[in-house]
Amino acid sequence: MSNDTLTPAPTAAAPRAAPAMPDGHSMTVRDLHAHYGDTHAIKGVSMGYAANQVTAMIGPSGCGKSTLLRCLNRMHEEIPGARAEGTVLLDETDIYARGIDVVAVRRAIGMVFQRANPFPTMSVFDNVAAGLRLNGVKGVDLHERVEVSLRGAGLWDEVKDRLGRPGIGLSGGQQQRLCIARAIAVRPRVVLMDEPCSALDPIATLKVEELIAALKRDFTIVIVTHNMQQAARVSDTTAFFYLGELVEHAPTDAIFSNPGDPRTEEYVTGKFG
Amino acid sequence: MSAALDALAPVAGRRRLTDRAMRALLWAGTLVALVPLVLVLWFLLQKGLGALSVDFFTTDPTGNFLGDPGGVRSAILGTLEIVALASAIGIPIGVGVALYLVEYGGQRWFAQAVRYFVDVMTGVPSIVFGLFVYIVLVVSGIGGSFAGWKGSVALALLMLPVVTRSAEVVLALVPDHLREAALALGAPRWKVILRIVLPTALPGLVTASLLAVARAMGETAPLLFTSAIVMGRSWDLGGRMNSLPVQIYNDVSSPNDQIVARAWGAALTLVALILLITLVARFIARRSRLA
Ligand SMILES: Nc1ncnc2c1ncn2[C@@H]1O[C@H](COP(=O)(O)OP(=O)(O)OP(=O)(O)O)[C@@H](O)[C@H]1O
Ligand SMILES: [Mg+2]
């Protein structure tokens, strides 16, 4: 593999993402209901996700955070028997409207999962390029896009000499950042993350958190987390869910210092959950 | 030794005895199971090795009852050709059905019905497939009477349920989170299957296919009614064709000792071929990432 055409690595240690987009993209949820067969998991949630901000979703286990997140890029309906009703807007477009192509929705709204899941048959390079190849995107300099994405994920310096090696040969934290690189390589507008650090050690977690802070210049980010400190560190606004309902959504400082609802206060102070 | 340990000693003694008895029983069982296997191999080698020679592999059976009976070249070539065509038919269809079952069918009633029929097909004796093809393709005279390709069809029918069942298991082993990751990247379902699921499952699919090939290779009955035996060599799958199992079947009932010896040689050759394929299958299975 030749790197001749690529720009030399900058000396700055801080991860640099692709050039910031002119204007960000927001999402709006209106009266969303989600079901698994007979289980009513999301009971009429309405909220917004501001452009180029990190929105954290917290709440006790089983309150529907993952379900809501998966509704935001229509991955929810991939589960047999699962369905969702309501309105989810990406900017002005209802992604649940008739005639909307699910595939296009998922290209615009990327996802990072709890467990790092690089494709086991693919090299580091191919993993990052996978989204573009699977989408049949033409006319893109793959090498450049892969490098930019890996830099964006703060992984380039660690893997630049082994782009041809299997992606599953990396450490857990590196694999998760590889998955982030894979997600941002298709240039989505929004990146959804479901407990992206829960399988990582503190140092790897710190790296991913720094990464999230850097990524929000280019993407709108929604993150589900169980870790209150993490929500406090990375997010601009925080939404607290309980039993499938949104209890409150406010700037992160307010949620942690001056919550409006007693249930939120109990949860963030660790009294239940 | 403390008093507590002394008190435990009798129990431990009885347990050790039970353990020893169970071990002996299992050993004996294993030995009994191994005896016929070893005997089969022993007879094969003892009787078959003598028949092997360069001529055995390089000449066709002459069909003469007296004088030089010839070798088994046409039988080996026939088996390879017929099984190759059978694989070309049976493996893609089998993998295709398995893909439907895993990726689209799920627990739907139609998928469950397909699973049930595949199970029934697994239990159908091979002679029935032979008869079926005999009636549908040979008696009806489609493309002449007996033909190598009709034998392939019968073997493909036999392979189909075996391939489907094991491919289904292998495909189900591909973790769902990989499919989700690809779908979340905005890949259409068919591309996820083609570019993620199949490559990930490939080593297992190859193993499953090879085991089905090995199974089909030794079948006599489906070929007896469909390809029939000709002594000379033929490359033409459209005409009558020789094959190892049918050759063995014919030779072993001959009153001529030389021809019976040829049957043993052919049997040894067939077993060696099947063993080779099984070994390759195991080798690939061991390198699989999913096991
Ligand atoms: N595949 C599924 N089938 C049926 N019910 C499900 C499924 N996934 C989730 N549920 C149910 O939907 C509700 C919400 O689940 P969800 O996974 O969204 O919770 P969560 O907030 O992400 O929890 P956690 O913090 O444990 O990840 C729960 O009651 C759960 O039992
Ligand atoms: Mg969850």
Side-chain angles (χ1 to χ4, degrees):
Chain A
M1 195 175 304
S2 149
N3 286 338
D4 298 348
T5 56
L6 300 178
T7 46
T11 44
R16 308 240 344 137
M21 297 191 181
D23 38 28
H25 302 274
S26 64
M27 293 193 75
T28 314
V29 173
R30 278 193 210 129
D31 196 27
L32 187 76
H33 291 263
H35 303 258
Y36 295 97
D38 296 332
T39 312
H40 195 177
I42 299 290
K43 302 166 187 163
V45 166
S46 300
M47 67 180 284
Y49 302 89
N52 297 94
Q53 299 260 290
V54 178
T55 306
M57 305 206 289
I58 61 171
S61 189
C63 69
K65 306 178 294 290
S66 301
T67 307
L68 177 56
L69 194 77
R70 293 169 59 92
C71 286
L72 295 182
N73 69 344
R74 296 188 60 177
M75 283 299 287
H76 177 65
E77 64 209 57
E78 288 298 329
I79 294 168
R83 66 211 147 80
E85 298 122 31
T87 309
V88 178
L89 302 178
L90 172 60
D91 296 326
E92 304 302 317
T93 317
D94 182 359
I95 63 170
Y96 278 89
R98 236 173 240 273
I100 290 278
D101 181 10
V102 219
V103 165
V105 167
R106 293 179 189 148
R107 274 175 212 169
I109 306 171
M111 192 161 209
V112 176
F113 297 82
Q114 182 169 356
R115 265 181 53 203
N117 51 5
F119 299 125
T121 54
M122 296 187 189
S123 65
V124 170
F125 184 93
D126 291 341
N127 260 288
V128 181
L132 295 168
R133 287 185 177 146
L134 286 168
N135 289 330
V137 174
K138 304 243 159 52
V140 171
D141 183 345
L142 267 188
H143 286 266
E144 191 203 311
R145 185 65 74 85
V146 167
E147 179 178 345
V148 168
S149 307
L150 282 170
R151 280 189 198 288
L155 193 58
W156 174 253
D157 291 326
E158 289 161 66
V159 300
K160 62 173 184 256
D161 300 321
R162 40 176 169 162
L163 292 175
R165 304 263 283 279
I168 46 172
L170 302 178
S171 77
Q174 288 174 327
Q175 285 188 24
Q176 191 59 299
R177 279 178 286 144
L178 180 65
C179 292
I180 294 175
R182 181 175 69 185
I184 62 178
V186 293
R187 298 267 164 92
R189 297 169 189 180
V190 180
V191 179
L192 312 175
M193 303 185 173
D194 193 350
E195 300 184 42
C197 303
S198 65
L200 304 183
D201 64 63
I203 295 181
T205 299
L206 193 71
K207 282 206 163 151
V208 173
E209 285 179 5
E210 283 173 358
L211 181 55
I212 291 170
L215 285 175
K216 80 173 179 183
R217 281 185 305 137
D218 303 305
F219 308 98
T220 301
I221 293 177
V222 183
I223 179 173
V224 168
T225 177
H226 261 135
N227 181 329
M228 236 71 69
Q229 287 80 32
Q230 180 168 69
R233 281 192 299 262
V234 303
S235 70
D236 300 293
T237 67
T238 297
F240 172 68
F241 294 86
Y242 188 61
L243 298 178
E245 287 171 36
L246 174 65
V247 174
E248 72 177 295
H249 181 197
T252 299
D253 302 338
I255 288 276
F256 286 99
S257 59
N258 185 20
D261 191 289
R263 287 171 295 177
T264 314
E265 176 162 18
E266 281 182 30
Y267 184 71
V268 299
T269 53
K271 291 217 176 71
F272 80 95
Chain B
M1 180 153 303
S2 76
L5 276 179
D6 285 342
L8 285 175
V11 180
R14 195 164 66 219
R15 198 177 294 159
R16 204 173 313 134
L17 215 69
T18 320
D19 179 53
R20 225 175 266 169
M22 281 308 289
R23 251 174 226 248
L25 210 67
L26 293 178
W27 260 105
T30 311
L31 276 182
V32 170
L34 276 177
V35 165
L37 205 74
V38 170
L39 281 182
V40 167
L41 280 179
W42 168 251
F43 272 109
L44 259 184
L45 287 171
Q46 196 202 16
K47 301 210 165 196
L49 273 180
L52 301 189
S53 65
V54 174
D55 281 351
F56 180 81
F57 292 111
T58 54
T59 61
D60 293 328
T62 57
N64 298 337
F65 180 66
L66 297 170
D68 178 20
V72 296
R73 178 171 61 171
S74 73
I76 297 176
L77 288 176
T79 284
L80 293 180
E81 283 175 65
I82 291 174
V83 171
L85 180 60
S87 309
I89 304 169
I91 293 172
I93 300 181
V95 172
V97 174
L99 271 177
Y100 163 74
L101 289 176
V102 174
E103 302 294 331
Y104 295 100
Q107 300 304 312
R108 247 158 266 183
W109 71 266
F110 182 67
Q112 298 291 30
V114 171
R115 277 191 194 99
Y116 179 72
F117 281 117
V118 168
D119 277 347
V120 172
M121 254 176 100
T122 316
V124 171
S126 60
I127 197 164
V128 176
F129 290 120
L131 276 177
F132 172 73
V133 172
Y134 176 72
I135 290 166
V136 173
L137 291 180
V138 179
V139 173
S140 65
I142 295 168
S145 75
F146 291 84
W149 69 269
K150 294 177 184 174
S152 299
V153 171
L155 287 185
L157 284 176
L158 188 96
M159 291 170 73
L160 191 59
V162 183
V163 174
T164 303
R165 258 330 202 177
S166 36
E168 193 191 350
V169 172
V170 170
L171 290 171
L173 273 180
V174 175
D176 270 337
H177 64 79
L178 293 182
R179 292 185 182 87
E180 289 212 316
L183 285 174
L185 283 171
R189 183 131 222 145
W190 63 271
K191 261 195 184 170
V192 176
I193 292 171
L194 228 55
R195 306 283 287 274
I196 306 295
V197 176
L198 281 179
T200 311
L202 189 64
L205 291 177
V206 172
T207 305
S209 305
L210 285 180
L211 291 178
V213 168
R215 161 94 202 279
M217 201 168 253
E219 287 294 342
T220 322
L223 299 183
L224 219 47
F225 300 118
T226 53
S227 302
I229 185 166
V230 293
M231 290 306 173
R233 174 155 50 123
S234 157
W235 286 104
D236 179 15
L237 278 163
R240 289 170 180 251
M241 240 188 186
N242 199 359
S243 61
L244 279 169
V246 177
Q247 172 105 54
I248 296 167
Y249 176 82
N250 265 30
D251 285 359
V252 83
S253 51
S254 166
N256 180 338
D257 283 348
Q258 238 184 320
I259 293 183
V260 173
R262 185 173 68 187
W264 283 102
L268 183 59
T269 311
L270 184 58
V271 169
L273 263 178
I274 292 173
L275 193 72
L276 187 74
I277 292 177
T278 316
L279 279 178
V280 172
R282 296 210 65 167
F283 177 73
I284 294 173
R286 192 166 303 170
R287 294 187 25 170
S288 159
R289 292 186 180 84
L290 288 174

